[in-house]
Amino acid sequence: MRVAVIGGGIAGVSAAHELAQSGIEFVLYEASGRLGGIVETVCRDGFVIECGPDSWVTEKPWARELAVELGLEDEIVASNDHWRKTYIVRGGELVAMPDGMRMMVPTQWEPVLSSPLFSKEAQQAYLREPERAEELKTAVPESDESVASFVRRHFGDEVTDTIGAPLLAGVFGGDVDELSVRAVMPAFVKMEREHGSLIAALEKSSRGAQSASIFTTLKSGLQTLIDRMVATLPASSIRLRKSVQKIEFKGGKWCIFGPFAEEFDAVVVATPADVTRGLLSPMDPAFDQLLAMDASSAIVVALAFAPEIAKSLRIPPGFGFLAPQSRSAAERSSVPSLLACTFVDQKFSHRVPEGGVLLRAFFGGASAPLLLDSPDDEVTGLALRQLSSLLGQLPEPSFTVVRRWPRSLPQYAVGHLERMARLEERVRALPGLELIGNAYYGVGLPDLVRQGREAARRVISPLPPG
Ligand SMILES: Cc1c2[nH]c(c1CCC(=O)O)Cc1[nH]c(c(CCC(=O)O)c1C)Cc1[nH]c(c(CCC(=O)O)c1C)Cc1[nH]c(c(C)c1CCC(=O)O)C2
């Protein structure tokens, strides 16, 4: 059997790795000159700089399992959760999120009631939510709804705007009025069904008390995960700078065309949703609509301050901040404003030389398109000015790294899961076809590793039809 894997991001590389482990012949096509997609680590002067994701969510086991299998156990590090604090930008200032929050749901009362983040009305809305358990339970909507409407039903407008929106923007890069609650917060939806109140549900479960660190990463950077997998692949099976233009399914075989033509028994399509849509729509027009998704773009600006310069900096303790984006469309499209920033040296050890400071700022959301074409020095200047107004005047960084990731994070819109069910139906009609990536079932590294490996296993031993 011979398998084509199209797209060399972490999902495609994970699929290829799994095929290689099983001794299956395959070809991995990647349009760019490197594997890893948005997973990229730059090491310079003792700084370990992530250009894309900086970690995975510890709760999801699949990335860690892979790292252990690859012999990277000694490389695995947890976030410094004794310093875990996330700030929200409010009136030009950083205000700490209360301790003990699970997303927007408190697991302790005192921090919420003493936080300057919430008005008396918002505190009341929190206090009343457990008392409304029965009402909330009987009013569970039959169909999907937006994250905003879900959070609003539990905690009202202020909580939705003040922390719901920025938190979700820091995970899904998206708009709470559009995102599907069932796709992006399935655990909370389940709690509502079972308990009505989310606060009461967390109180009853041990989930309220988070034991492990929230984030996990690798000492030398996440690129190591890619490099270790790539090292297990036969070199002859990797085709860099080979962009696939067309796929055809004929006589039970898959034909892959670029400036080349090759035949396979199965194909794993691991490209971004836009590319996948272009490849599959000619075979079945239904894909055109099923894969048409909004996606947000991100611009990452890493600012490294060497120890001698970093001495003058006064970064507040914590992992970083999230900034609510303006609701006014005019304002959003005129001044690109920072979406978030991670204080890397405080979130993780081993990322900076002793005494150094590393900030990773993000632009995204509605203002991202404005910056995708701006030169690096303009993007860096803008980030530095906005960070200085929030963190105190910053000196010129020792060096900076800028990366642009256009349309890299698909938005799971209301009805996403039903759409995925229809998508799966069309995929099943084409035996040997597998779709993997962040457009379908989960946006983080663990979900992509899981999807890649599961797809490879299904290709190797397909389920009987029907
Ligand atoms: C801007 C942005 C960030 N992170 C992300 C974006 C969007 C990028 C884009 O538009 O393309 C994306 C993101 N963030 C997270 C994921 C993984 C989700 C998953 O695996 O399910 C993903 C895909 C986890 C997270 N990211 C965050 C949370 C919430 C953590 C909490 O509850 O405190 C989670 C689960 C918060 C976050 N997220 C970010 C910051 C600076 C912070 C706060 C400080 C920090 O930790 O660095 C940056």
Side-chain angles (χ1 to χ4, degrees), residues 404-444:
R404 295 165 186 79
W405 304 114
R407 286 183 62 77
S408 55
L409 198 60
Q411 302 295 290
Y412 295 179
V414 173
H416 181 78
L417 298 177
E418 288 82 7
R419 175 192 276 234
M420 290 302 103
R422 292 200 298 280
L423 180 67
E424 273 185 41
E425 218 170 87
R426 308 313 282 217
V427 169
R428 266 200 303 272
L430 294 162
L433 174 66
E434 292 287 342
L435 304 189
I436 54 175
N438 64 3
Y440 316 109
Y441 298 104
V443 294

Side-chain angles (χ1 to χ4, degrees), residues 313-327:
L313 272 63
R314 294 286 171 272
I315 308 296
F319 285 3
F321 67 77
L322 296 163
Q325 301 292 292
S326 164
R327 293 230 158 219

Side-chain angles (χ1 to χ4, degrees), residues 38 53-57 60 84-87 97 101-103 166-174 210 214-215 296-299 318-322 339-343 347 360 362-365 405 408-409 411 442-447:
I38 70 169
D54 71 350
S55 56
W56 65 78
V57 172
K60 301 184 177 186
R84 182 176 168 206
K85 200 172 262 309
T86 298
Y87 297 87
M97 287 247 297
M101 299 293 283
R102 291 287 304 219
M103 299 295 281
L167 265 178
L168 268 292
V171 180
F172 288 87
Q210 198 147 26
I214 178 167
F215 300 114
S296 72
S297 302
I299 295 121
F319 285 3
F321 67 77
L322 296 163
L339 187 65
C341 177
T342 298
F343 309 153
K347 183 172 177 180
R360 238 166 55 105
F362 304 82
F363 291 101
W405 304 114
S408 55
L409 198 60
Q411 302 295 290
V443 294
L445 300 179
D447 284 303

